[in-house]
Amino acid sequence: MFGHAGYAESGQDIVCAGVSALSIAACNGLEHFLSVAPKVQEAEGHLTCELMGLTEQDLEKAQWILQTMTLGIEQIQAAYSQDYILIDRRRWTPC
C-alpha cells in the first residue's frame, strides 16, 4: 500500500482510515495465524508486507486473509469511487 487517498484532510480522511485499518488488520492476521511471521514495514503513507518461506497450508491461510482484506477495500472503493483507491494486482507476486 502506498500513498494517501486524498478524500479529505489528513486526520479526517475516512477512506484512508478504512483502507489503513483493513491492511494493518490483515498484516496482524498474517502474523498471528501463519507459522512464519511476515516482514512488515510501515512508514508515512506506505505499508509493505512480505511473505516468505510459507508452507502450502500457510499459503492457503494467507490467501484467505488477503482476499478478505481485498473484499473490504473493494467495498470502500465502490462507495467512494476509484478517484481515491486504485487496486493494482500486478504488484502481488509470489515468492
Side-chain angles (χ1 to χ4, degrees), residues 4 8 13 19 21 28 38-39 41 45 50-51 53-55 57 59 62-63 70 72-73 76-78 88 91-92 94:
H4 292 283
D13 194 330
V19 171
N28 290 339
K39 179 181 175 186
Q41 293 180 312
E50 189 175 345
L51 302 171
L54 301 181
T55 65
Q57 185 179 20
L59 283 172
Q63 285 300 313
T70 302
I73 292 172
I76 295 171
Q77 183 184 45
D88 184 357
R91 299 201 56 175
W92 296 6

Side-chain angles (χ1 to χ4, degrees), residues 1-4 41-48 91:
M1 306 272 178
F2 67 92
H4 292 283
Q41 293 180 312
E42 287 183 76
E44 178 63 28
H46 189 88
L47 173 69
T48 60
R91 299 201 56 175

Side-chain angles (χ1 to χ4, degrees), residues 2-93:
F2 67 92
H4 292 283
Y7 179 76
E9 292 181 34
S10 181
Q12 303 296 314
D13 194 330
I14 60 174
V15 173
C16 190
V19 171
S20 294
L22 288 168
S23 60
I24 291 168
C27 289
N28 290 339
L30 292 167
E31 185 174 347
H32 182 79
F33 291 108
L34 302 182
S35 61
V36 177
K39 179 181 175 186
V40 178
Q41 293 180 312
E42 287 183 76
E44 178 63 28
H46 189 88
L47 173 69
T48 60
C49 180
E50 189 175 345
L51 302 171
M52 297 185 335
L54 301 181
T55 65
E56 285 296 319
Q57 185 179 20
D58 277 349
L59 283 172
E60 185 175 347
K61 289 178 190 177
Q63 285 300 313
W64 285 109
I65 292 167
L66 294 171
Q67 287 299 324
T68 300
M69 176 195 71
T70 302
L71 287 171
I73 292 172
E74 287 172 345
Q75 290 298 309
I76 295 171
Q77 183 184 45
Y80 294 95
S81 93
Q82 289 186 355
D83 293 340
Y84 304 105
I85 298 173
L86 172 65
I87 300 171
D88 184 357
R89 287 181 172 83
R90 294 175 296 162
R91 299 201 56 175
W92 296 6
T93 56

